Amino acid sequence: MIAIITGDIINSQKSDSELWLPKLKGLLQSWSTTPENWEIYRGDEFQLKCSVDEVFHKALLIKSLLRSFENLDVRVAIGIGNEVFLSEKITESNGSAYLNSGRLLTDIKSQGKTFAIQTENEKVNQDLNILFKWAAIDFDNWTVATAEIIHQLLRNSELTQDELAKELNITQSSVSQRLKRANFELLQETDLYFRKKITEL
């Protein structure tokens, strides 16, 4: 069983791709190799293969990275299932994980959603998608400044608030306020719940 993230950048035409595209490529490259495990295509769509237990965390890293750029956001469709054909390019590989993810992206785009999951288990889908609807109320409204802090902490959970403040040239109290507004602790709890729930598959 594998996880596939299929996503598309919202408002990509309103932002200079020379700013965000290298950052997105760098993040994906830090996880695995292209084009067999990830690929960016059509300028503002991408696909990533990863392990099931890490997929929510990685989706949040992508979300926080892109929201740290003015006007940008991303739709994320997580598909979980099998892989029946492995190609040298991820966009040519096949299996239920790929189909679940690709079809889901089309669905959430038409529904105006930005984050959802599709597995072979309808009960797990229902439980996690309700959770994601609540979570999206927060992360769909992250400011650029908040997304930047969330991204740094998701990449390195060992960072202290003082270290973050120095890195971003703001006060420690500003870091604390932004984390509270973003409900960061709840986000961490959601990730833990996801990892537990996904074992039911």
Side-chain angles (χ1 to χ4, degrees):
M1 194 163 58
I2 62 166
I4 298 293
I5 294 175
T6 306
D8 68 337
I9 316 299
I10 300 171
N11 295 329
S12 61
Q13 295 177 336
K14 295 181 180 178
S15 183
D16 187 352
S17 62
E18 290 183 5
L19 297 176
W20 60 264
L21 189 55
K23 295 285 188 181
L24 178 58
K25 285 182 175 179
L27 180 63
L28 298 175
Q29 190 70 56
S30 71
W31 295 329
S32 56
T33 54
T34 187
E36 60 267 35
N37 293 313
W38 66 268
E39 196 168 1
I40 298 172
Y41 51 95
R42 295 180 188 162
D44 62 358
E45 296 184 16
F46 63 91
Q47 206 162 45
L48 168 72
K49 178 168 71 173
C50 63
S51 65
V52 171
D53 63 322
E54 290 186 324
V55 68
F56 180 64
H57 185 78
K58 289 186 174 178
L60 286 178
L61 276 161
I62 293 169
K63 183 90 170 173
S64 58
L65 173 69
L66 291 166
R67 284 200 64 89
S68 66
F69 292 92
E70 199 71 49
N71 299 319
L72 279 190
D73 201 350
V74 60
R75 287 183 197 88
V76 171
I78 298 171
I80 292 177
N82 64 16
E83 183 178 57
V84 295
F85 174 69
L86 178 60
S87 172
E88 292 180 357
K89 295 180 69 175
I90 186 173
T91 50
E92 295 175 358
S93 295
N94 207 342
S96 62
Y98 296 88
L99 294 173
N100 286 339
S101 183
R103 290 170 180 167
L104 182 60
L105 183 65
T106 302
D107 291 344
I108 66 175
K109 193 170 185 177
S110 65
Q111 295 164 7
K113 298 177 185 175
T114 63
F115 207 101
I117 189 169
Q118 180 71 38
T119 75
E120 305 298 304
N121 185 316
E122 200 50 50
K123 177 70 166 62
V124 170
N125 293 340
Q126 187 177 33
D127 290 350
L128 287 177
N129 279 315
I130 288 173
L131 183 70
F132 289 168
K133 282 181 184 178
W134 280 107
I137 293 172
D138 278 331
F139 53 64
D140 281 349
N141 290 292
W142 285 338
T143 63
V144 168
T146 298
E148 191 175 29
I149 284 181
I150 295 294
H151 187 72
Q152 295 284 2
L153 277 176
L154 288 172
R155 289 198 81 166
N156 183 3
S157 61
E158 302 299 314
L159 278 175
T160 66
Q161 289 191 12
D162 285 332
E163 288 170 335
L164 264 174
K166 287 176 184 175
E167 192 170 320
L168 299 172
N169 199 28
I170 58 177
T171 64
Q172 182 273 326
S173 61
S174 293
V175 171
S176 178
Q177 288 168 8
R178 290 177 191 179
L179 290 175
K180 283 179 183 175
R181 282 198 299 269
N183 291 316
F184 184 68
E185 287 186 8
L186 183 57
L187 199 63
Q188 291 176 304
E189 290 177 28
T190 303
D191 188 19
L192 290 174
Y193 176 80
F194 173 86
R195 292 170 190 263
K196 181 180 178 183
K197 188 71 180 176
I198 216 69
T199 62
E200 295 178 16
L201 293 176

